[in-house]
Amino acid sequence: MTYLFNQPSAFAAELIEGFVAANADKVRQVRGGVVRSTRSKAGTVAIVVGGGSGHYPAFAGLVGQGLAHGAAMGNLFASPSAQQIYNVAVAANNGGGVLLGFGNYAGDVLHFGQACERLRADGIPCELLPVTDDISSASVSEIEKRRGVAGDLAVFKVASAAAEAGHNLAEVFRLAQHANQRTRSFGVAFSGCTLPGATHPLFEVEKGHMALGMGIHGEPGIKDTLVPRADVLAEIFVDNLLSELPAGVAAAKGQRVAAILNGLGSVKYEELFVVYRRVAQLLASAGVTVVEPEVGEFVTSFNMAGASLTLMWLDETLETLWHAPANAPAYRKGSVIVAEAHSPAEREEPVQETLPEASAVSQQSAQRVLLLLEAMAQQIQASAEELGRIDAVAGDGDHGIGMERGVLGAVAKAREVAARGAGAGTLLCRAADAWADQAGGTSGALWGVALTAIGTALGDQYEPDASRVATGVRHAREGIMHFGKAQPGDKTMVDVLVPFSDHLSQAVAQGASLSDAWQQAATVAHDAAQATAQLLPKMGRARPLAEKSLGTPDAGAISLALIVNTVGSLLHDKTPV
């Protein structure tokens, strides 16, 4: 269980505040995360890393001289939004471009990708670096689909040292990719973790067993087995990592590696040292020389019990960068010359948000859109536990939590801007940003895309009609398929969105009212969501154990169907948009 918290919803924000207060000599808070509180050399590359909170020391603990320049911090186990990442990157930018580093999770890919596009549009050179070190999450033939776990540290360390040495963005990116290609990790879990305020673990492992290859968000492993002795676990780690050598490494014998034995949250350091004792023996027997090993907690899973072993296969360049000094709150190596601190006057100031002018009719429509969002929130809150249960069958079980955070954030923002006279379009676009910020993850990004598309179609001048709404839904569909890359049949929300959009547009084209057209399409959406039970997932966290999800519908498809049916009921009850 989690012992110390105030309001669960405030946990992530409060931990950031406390972290900064405890490490003010190294970091300062900005909107979306933290950046160095010390100056960096002008014209150098900024390394911005990030992901969900709950993985400390990743990601904020790795911000400091010789390591990252900034960290975008999402909610617990939820990727930061594109806006958060953008804010941190702008604050961290030294004039030499930005490298965005993150674990290769769908939500992170979406949000960091969107942030990268915005930075480039603003004239800030930017590159994306998804870390893919977890060998249990995909085969060698699909290596680009692998997750990023404790190998994050090795790859971020190389990228950061290269930036500190003054290399340009292209070279920093090349070296970081090289480090990623030569980094492999394998992990196990003995128990799940319990988030603040929750009465049950987010995921579970059968007592007395361990899950081989379980991910840091509870993604299913490759199989379960009895918990072994420490020496046997060391052998499992080493055997799995030596069985897959990176391209360019012909044999293990004679090679040099950086080794990281990582605790996932509840395994004691003493236990890790017992395991590492045997790891060191086994690597030495294989003719592998370990260079400056790290044993401790580097990428955790809140209070999950588990451990992982990471090997980065070194060459002369990588070894030099691995040796380079660093001074971050949770990672120190060698000795750095402490840089000058930023002055208080340079800290960012709040920016007053302005709203576009809106017609009276659009302002009235905004109030009705707010009612729809509030009804959506009530439905999602009532269904959050069931959505989590569905998601946990072959995923990590956090879909309900993320949807609840997102829709409540959207409602809060919508209320604020409605009170200030926002039009319907602006209200939905601002709500979209808040949904993405609060929810994080894949669903947060995609719902942000969807609401933005609909809000843009509605605009702030006219009363929304059936044609504008249908156009907005069609644009939402196009945006989600573009950013999420899913197609019908992949067992995602797209399997509901496509038929819903098609039937809505068709009914509107035939002259149906918005209420009638929406209700017809909502019925189709419900049936389509249930039909996803017979599909096998081809994307996301459920993909590695697709068979487990057969017979269970997709959580994202179900939540979309719930929402469109809730909206349909209100439209039928004469709550027009």
Side-chain angles (χ1 to χ4, degrees):
M1 65 178 293
T2 302
Y3 297 96
L4 302 175
F5 57 92
N6 295 308
Q7 291 298 319
S9 60
F11 188 83
E14 290 179 348
L15 77 85
I16 296 173
E17 184 180 350
F19 167 75
V20 171
N23 296 282
D25 61 323
K26 298 179 181 66
V27 299
R28 61 188 177 95
Q29 187 169 1
V30 296
R31 289 189 295 272
V34 299
V35 296
R36 293 185 190 179
S37 59
T38 55
R39 295 180 184 276
S40 300
K41 185 177 179 181
T44 56
V45 175
I47 308 299
V48 173
V49 302
S53 298
H55 301 303
Y56 192 84
F59 295 88
L62 304 181
V63 175
Q65 288 182 249
L67 257 172
H69 296 78
M73 302 171 67
N75 218 311
L76 289 172
F77 285 13
S79 65
S81 69
Q83 183 65 52
Q84 290 175 299
I85 299 161
Y86 174 85
N87 291 343
V88 173
V90 169
N93 180 32
N94 303 314
V98 177
L99 178 67
L100 300 177
F102 51 95
N104 192 32
Y105 298 91
D108 290 314
V109 171
L110 287 171
H111 289 297
F112 278 89
Q114 291 171 357
C116 182
E117 290 181 2
R118 288 188 58 185
L119 290 166
R120 289 172 176 171
D122 288 352
I124 300 175
C126 183
E127 296 291 350
L128 293 170
L129 179 70
V131 179
T132 55
D133 58 300
D134 184 3
I135 68 172
S136 64
S137 56
S139 65
V140 175
S141 63
E142 294 185 309
I143 197 168
E144 74 284 352
K145 296 181 179 180
R146 286 180 171 175
R147 307 180 287 234
V149 287
D152 284 355
L153 172 62
V155 178
F156 296 163
K157 176 66 174 65
V158 166
S160 302
E164 206 80 18
H167 293 295
N168 63 26
L169 180 58
E171 181 65 3
V172 170
F173 183 42
R174 185 190 71 80
L175 289 168
Q177 287 181 308
H178 180 51
N180 184 50
Q181 291 162 359
R182 294 175 71 98
T183 301
R184 302 287 188 272
S185 297
F186 187 85
V188 301
F190 311 118
S191 72
C193 65
T194 304
L195 300 184
T199 56
H200 301 286
L202 188 60
F203 48 88
E204 297 186 21
V205 178
E206 184 180 351
K207 187 175 181 179
H209 286 68
M210 71 177 182
L212 295 171
M214 175 174 274
I216 59 174
H217 305 98
E219 300 92 342
I222 53 179
K223 68 175 182 179
D224 289 359
T225 185
L226 292 172
V227 176
R229 292 181 296 108
D231 282 2
V232 175
L233 178 58
E235 291 163 8
I236 291 172
F237 282 154
V238 173
D239 288 347
N240 275 279
L241 293 181
L242 293 188
S243 69
E244 185 191 308
L245 301 179
V249 179
K253 187 174 182 179
Q255 297 293 326
R256 297 167 69 82
V257 299
I260 303 169
L261 183 61
N262 176 61
L264 285 164
S266 292
V267 175
K268 297 292 292 181
Y269 273 62
E270 290 87 344
E271 296 173 88
L272 294 174
F273 288 129
V274 171
V275 174
Y276 186 73
R277 157 192 159 274
R278 183 59 178 155
V279 167
Q281 294 171 354
L282 292 167
L283 290 175
S285 296
V288 176
T289 300
V290 179
V291 178
E292 293 186 2
E294 299 286 357
V295 179
E297 291 183 348
F298 302 101
V299 178
T300 62
S301 183
F302 205 59
N303 56 9
M304 171 178 164
S308 65
L309 179 65
T310 298
L311 298 180
M312 178 170 66
W313 298 83
L314 301 171
D315 57 20
E316 184 176 351
T317 300
L318 291 180
E319 184 165 344
T320 298
L321 296 171
W322 178 246
H323 279 303
N327 184 29
Y331 187 85
R332 299 179 185 180
K333 184 189 286 283
S335 178
V336 302
I337 298 175
V338 178
E340 180 184 359
H342 282 280
S343 66
E346 294 174 297
R347 299 177 187 272
E348 66 170 8
E349 297 295 331
V351 178
Q352 178 63 41
E353 180 185 48
T354 59
L355 299 177
E357 291 187 10
S359 67
V361 69
S362 186
Q363 289 175 333
Q364 292 172 354
S365 294
Q367 295 292 336
R368 295 192 284 271
V369 172
L370 173 58
L371 292 177
L372 296 179
L373 287 171
E374 290 173 337
M376 288 164 50
Q378 291 176 358
Q379 180 63 68
I380 290 300
Q381 284 184 290
S383 307
E385 185 174 350
E386 176 63 9
L387 291 172
R389 185 197 66 78
I390 294 171
D391 188 40
V393 171
D396 57 13
D398 69 346
H399 182 73
I401 296 172
M403 288 292 291
E404 185 175 10
R405 284 195 301 245
V407 73
L408 290 177
V411 167
K413 189 64 177 180
R415 287 172 179 162
E416 175 199 326
V417 297
R420 296 169 53 201
T426 292
L427 182 142
L428 271 177
C429 289
R430 295 293 194 272
D433 290 341
W435 190 313
D437 278 346
Q438 294 300 314
T442 307
S443 68
L446 297 182
W447 275 98
V449 168
L451 295 185
T452 298
I454 297 172
T456 301
L458 297 186
D460 291 327
Q461 298 304 315
Y462 306 103
E463 182 174 5
D465 57 19
S467 178
R468 289 181 184 276
V469 172
T471 297
V473 171
R474 186 175 72 253
H475 290 168
R477 160 189 170 175
E478 293 167 354
I480 284 176
M481 293 179 70
H482 169 71
F483 285 105
K485 309 302 181 185
Q487 298 293 322
D490 287 347
K491 194 166 187 172
T492 70
M493 67 187 297
V494 168
D495 292 300
V496 172
L497 183 56
V498 168
F500 174 75
S501 175
D502 286 344
H503 281 76
L504 180 65
S505 294
Q506 182 180 0
V508 169
Q510 293 173 350
S513 67
L514 175 60
S515 173
D516 289 344
W518 190 285
Q519 283 190 289
Q520 294 173 30
T523 299
V524 172
H526 175 271
D527 294 341
Q530 298 301 321
T532 61
Q534 304 311 313
L535 299 176
L536 292 175
K538 299 176 183 177
M539 300 188 71
R541 295 174 183 169
R543 181 184 56 81
L545 287 183
E547 293 77 10
K548 277 192 173 183
S549 76
L550 192 62
T552 302
D554 177 68
I558 292 293
S559 60
L560 173 57
L562 284 172
I563 284 173
V564 298
N565 275 275
T566 298
V567 171
S569 297
L570 287 176
L571 293 175
H572 180 68
D573 292 339
K574 310 304 182 185
T575 305
V577 181

